[in-house]
Amino acid sequence: MIKIANGIAPRLSIAILLAALAPPARADTAAPAPEPRNPFEQQAGAEIYNGVCQGCHMPDARGASGAGAYPALARDRNLEIAAYPVAIVLKGQKAMPGFGNYFTDEQIANVVNYTRPRFGNHYRGKVPPADVKAMR
Amino acid sequence: MSDPAQTPSRRSLFQMIGTVAGSAAMYHAMTVLGHAAESPFNGPIKLSAPPPGTSVLVLGAGIAGMVAAMELRDAGYRVQVLEYNNRPGGRNWSLYGGDVYTELGGATQTVRFDPGQYINPGPWRIPYHHQGILHYVNRLNVALEPFTQVNYNAYVHSTKMFGGKPVRYREVQADFHGHVAELLAKCTRQNALDQTLSKEDRELLLTALKDWGALDANYEYGKNLISAERRGYDIDPGGGLDPEPAPSEPRAMSDMLRSGLWAAIGAGHSYDMQSSIFQPKGGMGQIGKAFGKALEPLIQYNAKVIDIHQDAGGVTVAYVDSRSGGERRTATADWCVCTIPASILSQIPMNVGGPMRAAIDHLPYMASLKVGLQFKRRFWEEDECIYGGHTYTNQSNRVIGYPMWDYFSKGKGVLLGAYTFGREAFIAAARSPEQRIEDALECGARIHPQYRAEYECGVAVAWHRVPWALGCAGEWSDEGREQHYNNLCALDGRIILAGEHASRLAAWQEGSVTSALDAVERLHKRVMNA
Ligand SMILES: Cc1cc2nc3c(=O)[nH]c(=O)nc-3n(C[C@H](O)[C@H](O)[C@H](O)COP(=O)(O)OP(=O)(O)OC[C@H]3O[C@@H](n4cnc5c(N)ncnc54)[C@H](O)[C@@H]3O)c2cc1C
């Protein structure tokens, strides 16, 4: 897990998005299924967290660890500056895939706004979708 | 399979034709098939003897790690392998009755399959041109049997078309090819291709289209005994005084296009999905097991690597017991071949140069789900004459895979009840194993009504939850490859990476093998020049 000092998003990897939408022909995929942009119909922050994020960050955002780990988003001081989670969700980082092509600006704002005051975090203020758009 | 599109434009129509028939094939109709590309595997490698006592640490006992360990050992290196799991194979893995699997988050599944039944949660097929992995399969005496990619009698299914009833693959392919051939014949005969083809070629094309699309004497695709030879009969030909054969009714072209069903009939056309394809008898995991046996004393199991450090003297790797944590131990060697997936390696301190670090940190891993379902009887064979192969659906399970062994055996069978990537797989990972199985049952029951009565037990593996992989396989983009791939593969001091992620064969074991062989050869060269 990365730790940041000054609230500025640290090195973000270049998002790898297209491959996520259309699995590369060379991978072991049974039926090539080109996915549309923004394939998730969940809109509310809670739905998005429970429907997608918790697959890695786990219920209650408690994280998990095996040979590798998923960081907890519970009591996570890195959520203080909203631009940081927005950037991570948009672009991804290390084992976290970028979701820029999976979610609209509204969806990303919703899930970030859902996470920051919850799970033992107490960060106030909401990110507007326009801020997400500006960071794409 | 994609959902029904709006009426496709001319251009997208030709893209579809390309998907299904291969664009070159459609354009020239009868060009000779391209020569298959040579496999990068050039036969077994032969390394000269290294200086006595030269040692290598191999991290990870998946296919890549074990290929590297075996070749290095055979050349005379002192080899030690550290592996997180308590078994060899890594993603090369089969689940049998009695196996216990705990995923990240803590959900534990005990597999309750009968003896002889299994599911491959990861790799399941080996194309004939993957000569590298096939070399080791043969060297280790692992028995193979055919894997059926395309079954013409399995189904293609869309909840939105044909009353939600599944349609036989055979019929979809025949109808799509037939209608496309008819259209193209019409264009040819109405002189639309006069600028493109000579008169002689146009006549050859018409002959080819008639043959390829099962057209009648008027270059039309219709209900007759010619098309029945492709799509099947209402009354099959029989013997003696059986009734006369009766052809079946083709579906309309626009139904074919709008249903999106055409997308499924390309499944067996790509280089990696063409016959012949193989699977190990008794499960893909047999390869990992055989490797583990052949390397037995070299592999240390339950060793979780937590730090990798190199300096002028060698490589020091710190690890802890993967079950209990506890005391930090170290292993040292002159060199290191690291096959830990990039998803995990990105989290392990390792003093390599910036370019390799950037490459490791750059690579996210794909989502994927597989669900195995055991049924009391093989109803797909007994009731529906489906022997192996796959059914494709627009539902969230995407695929049903039928077992490709023990055909006609009375008794139970295990289906692959779901195989998904992307959206569906992300959603599945966020659910409990029980919910994933329930979803696969719900989808499957719309295709096979026998599901609910015959279902016994299941297991669901969502790859982002696999504790020692954190995903299915590296998800390279073209730009990512351009920028990072060579840096990922370059020898960095005493450390070289290998594995599926360090190959151009994403999500194939052949990538692990060819990557390991290439890494070992380059490392050896470096050792001999030291
Ligand atoms: C759903 C799915 C379907 C697939 N289908 C096919 C197919 O049909 N045909 C095909 O050929 N390939 C297929 N593949 C790809 C194939 O499984 C992989 O390419 C191959 O098995 C990867 O081998 P590897 O040695 O590179 O990595 P792995 O098998 O992942 O080996 C890495 C090893 O490192 C260990 N490890 C991880 N972290 C640590 C640590 N911190 N310390 C110590 N050890 C650690 C792991 O436990 C593992 O054993 C599929 C994969 C998936 C997931």
Side-chain angles (χ1 to χ4, degrees), chain A residues 74-111:
Chain A
R75 285 173 295 285
D76 182 0
R77 292 187 44 200
N78 288 346
L79 301 187
E80 184 172 355
I81 309 294
Y84 175 71
V86 169
I88 298 262
V89 175
L90 269 176
K91 310 285 181 188
Q93 179 164 277
K94 298 186 178 177
M96 163 131 178
F99 285 94
N101 277 3
Y102 279 93
F103 291 124
T104 62
D105 299 336
E106 286 76 17
Q107 285 172 308
I108 291 176
N110 288 350
V111 73

Side-chain angles (χ1 to χ4, degrees), chain A residues 66, chain B residues 84-85 93 95 99-110 433 465-468:
Chain B
Y84 174 85
N85 277 324
W93 180 33
L95 283 168
D99 286 351
V100 177
Y101 165 59
T102 301
E103 64 179 27
L104 286 174
T108 296
Q109 301 177 75
T110 302
R465 293 254 191 169
V466 173
W468 40 270

